[in-house]
Amino acid sequence: MELINTFFKIRLTRLNQIILISAFCLMSFYLLISLISFLNNYTSNLKKENEITISRIEFLSAINDQEIVSRTNFSNNLASSVNSSAINNNLNIDRSLPLSNNEISIWINESNFVDLFNWLIEINNNNVEITKMNIRRVSKDSVSAQLTFKS
């Protein structure tokens, strides 16, 4: 407590007062500039994230219903219908595995994402349920997928 009392009793010369106030002003100015820089970087990152999100939304809205080929209901043979539909959409099914309860699991390696996306919409529009989906990005434009369908 005595230390605080002696600190306040100290009389500073005019030069010391000017130096102390100048140091306080410079430190405040530095902190203000640092805060502004941080906020600018943060705002820039948020703008980039928003641009990416908007571009994804625009991509999805650009896919018109006209681009999705309307098909009649798939035949009773789910495996052959899925395979022929994949071929029509420029997809190569690497492996397929029939499962119980009229389900089929398929693997597609290195396919164009847009082709896969359009095909999945087509499959869904033909009363085929996608029960499991695992899609991984392989390169800039290609993906690999493991999918399970049920009719």
Side-chain angles (χ1 to χ4, degrees):
M1 190 73 169
E2 252 180 68
L3 183 64
I4 295 174
N5 288 334
T6 56
F7 178 76
F8 284 114
K9 290 181 183 178
I10 295 176
R11 300 271 183 207
L12 297 176
T13 64
R14 185 78 168 155
L15 179 62
N16 287 342
Q17 290 175 353
I18 292 172
I19 291 172
L20 186 62
I21 291 173
S22 298
F24 176 76
C25 289
L26 286 174
M27 189 161 312
S28 298
F29 183 73
Y30 174 76
L31 290 174
L32 185 62
I33 295 296
S34 298
L35 179 64
I36 290 171
S37 175
F38 169 77
L39 290 175
N40 281 337
N41 288 337
Y42 185 74
T43 304
S44 175
N45 288 340
L46 285 177
K47 284 181 182 178
K48 287 178 186 177
E49 288 179 22
N50 286 342
E51 288 173 2
I52 290 170
T53 303
I54 289 171
S55 69
R56 288 177 180 165
I57 291 170
E58 288 173 348
F59 169 76
L60 291 175
S61 65
I63 300 174
N64 295 331
D65 291 335
Q66 297 166 353
E67 293 175 358
I68 302 169
V69 180
S70 60
R71 307 242 183 232
T72 59
N73 285 337
F74 277 23
S75 66
N76 291 335
N77 188 347
L78 179 63
S80 67
S81 298
V82 167
N83 284 326
S84 64
S85 175
I87 291 170
N88 291 339
N89 284 283
N90 300 322
L91 298 172
N92 293 325
I93 295 179
D94 293 327
R95 182 175 155 209
S96 63
L97 177 66
L99 303 172
S100 61
N101 299 331
N102 205 19
E103 287 186 330
I104 184 170
S105 186
I106 63 163
W107 287 262
I108 298 173
N109 288 325
E110 296 191 28
S111 295
N112 184 293
F113 174 74
V114 175
D115 292 339
L116 178 67
F117 186 78
N118 288 335
W119 179 62
L120 291 174
I121 291 173
E122 177 184 329
I123 292 286
N124 191 45
N125 288 340
N126 285 298
N127 298 325
V128 175
E129 181 183 351
I130 304 167
T131 58
K132 293 180 185 174
M133 180 179 353
N134 183 8
I135 299 176
R136 294 174 313 282
R137 184 178 185 176
V138 177
S139 67
K140 183 179 179 184
D141 294 327
S142 66
V143 293
S144 292
Q146 180 180 358
L147 306 155
T148 303
F149 299 107
K150 181 178 183 176
S151 64

mmCIF file of all heavy atoms in Angstrom, residues 12-13 46 74 80 123:
data_model
loop_
_atom_site.group_PDB
_atom_site.id
_atom_site.type_symbol
_atom_site.label_atom_id
_atom_site.label_comp_id
_atom_site.label_asym_id
_atom_site.label_seq_id
_atom_site.Cartn_x
_atom_site.Cartn_y
_atom_site.Cartn_z
ATOM 1 N N LEU A 12 6.439 14.680 -11.306
ATOM 2 C CA LEU A 12 7.182 14.539 -12.559
ATOM 3 C C LEU A 12 7.483 15.902 -13.127
ATOM 4 O O LEU A 12 6.664 16.829 -13.066
ATOM 5 C CB LEU A 12 6.364 13.732 -13.567
ATOM 6 C CG LEU A 12 6.048 12.283 -13.196
ATOM 7 C CD1 LEU A 12 5.154 11.667 -14.252
ATOM 8 C CD2 LEU A 12 7.322 11.481 -13.052
ATOM 9 N N THR A 13 8.656 15.991 -13.740
ATOM 10 C CA THR A 13 9.006 17.248 -14.406
ATOM 11 C C THR A 13 8.195 17.353 -15.685
ATOM 12 O O THR A 13 7.584 16.388 -16.147
ATOM 13 C CB THR A 13 10.506 17.287 -14.746
ATOM 14 O OG1 THR A 13 10.777 16.246 -15.682
ATOM 15 C CG2 THR A 13 11.356 17.121 -13.510
ATOM 16 N N LEU A 46 -13.900 -13.622 -44.133
ATOM 17 C CA LEU A 46 -15.344 -13.845 -44.179
ATOM 18 C C LEU A 46 -15.893 -13.589 -45.582
ATOM 19 O O LEU A 46 -16.767 -14.323 -46.054
ATOM 20 C CB LEU A 46 -16.055 -12.944 -43.167
ATOM 21 C CG LEU A 46 -15.940 -13.350 -41.706
ATOM 22 C CD1 LEU A 46 -16.637 -12.328 -40.819
ATOM 23 C CD2 LEU A 46 -16.510 -14.727 -41.473
ATOM 24 N N PHE A 74 -37.547 -47.210 -62.984
ATOM 25 C CA PHE A 74 -36.563 -48.242 -63.234
ATOM 26 C C PHE A 74 -37.248 -49.596 -63.293
ATOM 27 O O PHE A 74 -38.291 -49.824 -62.689
ATOM 28 C CB PHE A 74 -35.516 -48.253 -62.123
ATOM 29 C CG PHE A 74 -34.418 -47.247 -62.316
ATOM 30 C CD1 PHE A 74 -34.581 -46.127 -63.102
ATOM 31 C CD2 PHE A 74 -33.201 -47.425 -61.696
ATOM 32 C CE1 PHE A 74 -33.572 -45.206 -63.262
ATOM 33 C CE2 PHE A 74 -32.180 -46.512 -61.849
ATOM 34 C CZ PHE A 74 -32.365 -45.406 -62.632
ATOM 35 N N SER A 80 -29.282 -53.747 -63.092
ATOM 36 C CA SER A 80 -29.139 -53.411 -64.509
ATOM 37 C C SER A 80 -29.603 -51.989 -64.788
ATOM 38 O O SER A 80 -29.018 -51.287 -65.620
ATOM 39 C CB SER A 80 -29.893 -54.412 -65.385
ATOM 40 O OG SER A 80 -31.286 -54.298 -65.176
ATOM 41 N N ILE A 123 -31.372 -40.728 -60.381
ATOM 42 C CA ILE A 123 -31.686 -41.934 -59.605
ATOM 43 C C ILE A 123 -32.800 -41.620 -58.604
ATOM 44 O O ILE A 123 -33.774 -42.375 -58.465
ATOM 45 C CB ILE A 123 -30.428 -42.434 -58.856
ATOM 46 C CG1 ILE A 123 -29.380 -42.953 -59.828
ATOM 47 C CG2 ILE A 123 -30.765 -43.484 -57.811
ATOM 48 C CD1 ILE A 123 -29.693 -44.280 -60.424
#
